[in-house]
Amino acid sequence: MDGNHVIGVDLGGTKILAGIVDRDGRVERRREHPTPVTSQEDLLAGLDEAVSELLHEGVAAIGFGIPSPIDQRTGRAQQAVNIPLDASVDFRARMSERYGVPVGIENDANAATYAEFHFGAAREAHSMVMLTLGTGCGGGAVVDGKLYRGWAEFGHMVIEYDGLPCQGTCTGRGHLEPYVTGVAATKLAQEAFGPAVDAHRLVRLAGEGEPRAIEILDGIGRHLGAGIGTLVNIFNPELVVIGGGFAAAGDFVLDPAREVAAREGLAGAGERLRIVRAELGTAAGLIGAGLVAFDALG
């Protein structure tokens, strides 16, 4: 094994993306599978299938981005909200023993952040924060050039006391997540336009000038800006990168987010802040998982 190729696996609430990643962030043999969510056993079997079809003798390590807080000491996922994976499984050890190579694990949004920092929108920055808007709302931070390896569950910061119930198995209320995800946008779109309209259709309607669609996206953006303002006041980043499938809403969401974040940021930090879309698209989590795999090589 030359140590220059690894498998990266981005485990999402709806799909598993896997591929061979090299040290320059290039992806080969990318594969996509639906995420089995019926049980933990089925989920692990789906991950095994995704890895097995890519594994060959040139693969030096495997990295997983998992939508859950990660306990790096024990190699276990903690309280995954949108997938059936819990701390009963020593995930890192299981995968390493099964495939005979070093395995790294990281929160999926942390992994995407890592990729955007090295190869994407934040490659010239020293400090940045990323939020991923998809099925859930994840996040990650790089501070003085180093990935923050803590939970970084930014989607679960409270922005409204006793507000909307959170998604999945989370028992909290008023978290950022139920206000800014594609799931949240679909719910609002269906309330306004009927059951056939999802988040993607909502964005198209806004692009066609539909006032109610624009208003809904504006409201989502303002909630997003409140969350960003809090992150600015904690990390003082040079920029905030917005990724995930719902980032396709673009300036319909980002312009109101910029307005609110500028107001909420302390000492003018919000006014200096740049809020930009991610550059790596759906590949960010996969590339980041590859970087996590390279880190596992030591």
Side-chain angles (χ1 to χ4, degrees), residues 222 225-230 232-233 258-267 269-270:
R222 292 182 182 281
I228 290 173
T230 296
V232 167
N233 293 338
R258 292 179 180 112
E259 179 183 335
V260 174
R263 182 188 70 200
E264 301 297 343
L266 292 174

Side-chain angles (χ1 to χ4, degrees), residues 160-206:
E160 184 174 336
Y161 168 71
D162 208 24
L164 292 175
C166 201
Q167 297 180 177
T169 60
C170 180
T171 59
R173 301 184 71 95
H175 294 182
L176 180 64
E177 181 162 289
Y179 293 91
V180 300
T181 62
V183 172
T186 293
K187 182 178 179 181
L188 292 170
Q190 291 176 348
E191 290 173 356
F193 301 107
V197 180
D198 62 7
H200 298 292
R201 178 59 180 152
L202 179 69
V203 174
R204 289 197 296 271
L205 287 171

Side-chain angles (χ1 to χ4, degrees), residues 263-285:
R263 182 188 70 200
E264 301 297 343
L266 292 174
E271 296 175 2
R272 297 191 301 271
L273 181 73
R274 290 187 294 134
I275 300 175
V276 301
R277 286 182 62 178
E279 293 183 1
L280 300 178
T282 58

Side-chain angles (χ1 to χ4, degrees), residues 25-46:
R26 292 187 292 259
V27 179
E28 304 169 10
R29 297 177 58 194
R30 173 171 163 160
R31 300 288 187 271
E32 180 175 325
H33 300 269
T35 302
V37 294
T38 49
S39 69
Q40 184 164 260
E41 183 178 83
D42 290 343
L43 176 65
L44 292 172

Side-chain angles (χ1 to χ4, degrees), residues 4-8 18-22 25-31 54 56 286:
N4 290 320
H5 292 85
V6 298
I7 293 175
I20 305 294
V21 183
D22 70 16
R26 292 187 292 259
V27 179
E28 304 169 10
R29 297 177 58 194
R30 173 171 163 160
R31 300 288 187 271
L54 293 170
H56 60 80
L286 170 54

